[in-house]
Amino acid sequence: NAGVTQTPKFQVLKTGQSMTLQCAQDMNHNSMYWYRQDPGMGLRLIYYSASEGTTDKGEVPNGYNVSRLNKREFSLRLESAAPSQTSVYFCASSGGQYSNQPQHFGDGTRLSIL
Amino acid sequence: AQKVTQAQTEISVVEKEDVTLDCVYETRDTTYYLFWYKQPPSGELVFLIRRNSFDEQNEISGRYSWNFQKSTSSFNFTITASQVVDSAVYFCALSEEVLGGGADGLTFGKGTHLIIQP
């Protein structure tokens, strides 16, 4: 029972490089999310997808793009990585169609931008 | 705009002591949902509890209990007889109801780092 799977777990990039973080869930959830966690800042929402075919900006979307490929997969892309994007990235999903559902998180991707 | 404040950055207690983690929230909505998550040193986020804004009943689960008070906009978390395994960062989070359905993500507090010393 995998739940939410994120790849890769670790990545080091140089400034200006691009990469895509992958996320897949096997719980048939409608909604998926991307957060970043920085020391002392808690988790902040980057983008979310309330249902397949829709995506919306969260609190800190600048420098990122997302794709809801299908119901299972939600990817996060950094087009031109910057040191300020060094962070731990978490993908999450939630079932049902309302905001009262708990979110289930992946194990995170630790990303360092040099 | 919604906001969650966890004023306690770090708490350190000796094993078997009781400890309360504070959470204060701000929202303009009348329907909202509050959550607590645990992040152990291994880094994953573990869901602990959800509370609806229209249900002010306190809840107890083993050594864990939660006190929800709308009058003070607080949703505090108490661990009774703490254990070393309770050492973790604990996050309080809020979501507001989306008109017409759907979900738009959680607003997290900055977390409280709880250290239980043996």
Side-chain angles (χ1 to χ4, degrees):
Chain A
N1 190 8
V4 178
T5 303
Q6 292 183 234
T7 55
K9 295 190 184 305
F10 303 94
Q11 185 70 49
V12 178
L13 294 178
K14 295 181 180 179
T15 298
Q17 287 185 319
S18 62
M19 85 160 293
T20 300
L21 307 185
Q22 306 288 351
C23 175
Q25 52 92 7
D26 62 3
M27 296 174 283
N28 201 33
H29 284 171
N30 289 322
S31 303
M32 297 185 74
Y33 315 83
W34 277 105
Y35 295 87
R36 60 177 290 174
Q37 182 179 19
D38 302 297
M41 294 295 294
L43 281 81
R44 293 180 292 170
L45 183 66
I46 305 171
Y47 271 93
Y48 66 98
S49 171
S51 61
E52 187 178 356
T54 69
T55 61
D56 285 285
K57 295 178 180 179
E59 180 186 353
V60 289
N62 292 345
Y64 305 95
N65 287 302
V66 290
S67 295
R68 183 74 184 266
L69 305 171
N70 48 55
K71 190 171 185 179
R72 289 187 63 248
E73 299 173 287
F74 188 38
S75 62
L76 178 72
R77 182 162 178 83
L78 287 71
E79 290 290 352
S80 179
S84 60
Q85 294 178 305
T86 293
S87 188
V88 180
Y89 291 85
F90 285 96
C91 177
S93 68
S94 63
Q97 296 183 348
Y98 301 96
S99 56
N100 62 343
Q101 298 299 308
Q103 295 182 15
H104 301 266
F105 287 81
D107 290 340
T109 294
R110 188 172 296 273
L111 182 62
S112 294
I113 315 295
L114 304 178
Chain B
Q2 55 201 33
K3 183 179 179 181
V4 176
T5 301
Q6 295 179 256
Q8 304 152 310
T9 303
E10 184 173 289
I11 300 174
S12 181
V13 301
V14 177
E15 198 172 23
K16 297 184 182 178
E17 287 186 9
D18 299 346
V19 58
T20 295
L21 309 182
D22 297 333
C23 173
V24 174
Y25 61 91
E26 296 176 27
T27 177
R28 296 177 184 174
D29 278 16
T30 55
T31 302
Y32 52 90
Y33 309 95
L34 295 162
F35 303 81
W36 276 94
Y37 284 85
K38 175 182 180 179
Q39 187 174 43
S42 50
E44 72 273 22
L45 284 149
V46 179
F47 165 70
L48 295 178
I49 192 172
R50 175 191 66 197
R51 176 61 70 213
N52 303 327
S53 57
F54 43 86
D55 179 5
E56 286 194 71
Q57 274 193 333
N58 292 329
E59 182 156 339
I60 298 174
S61 176
R63 297 183 296 106
Y64 294 174
S65 62
W66 290 269
N67 184 339
F68 176 34
Q69 292 194 335
K70 288 180 74 171
S71 61
T72 56
S73 297
S74 64
F75 186 40
N76 296 337
F77 173 29
T78 297
I79 301 175
T80 302
S82 60
Q83 300 176 1
V84 172
V85 293
D86 296 326
S87 297
V89 179
Y90 290 87
F91 291 100
C92 181
L94 167 73
S95 68
E96 295 174 336
E97 184 153 59
V98 177
L99 291 177
D104 63 353
L106 293 168
T107 296
F108 281 84
K110 294 183 178 181
T112 297
H113 184 199
L114 178 62
I115 301 168
I116 310 298
Q117 299 181 10

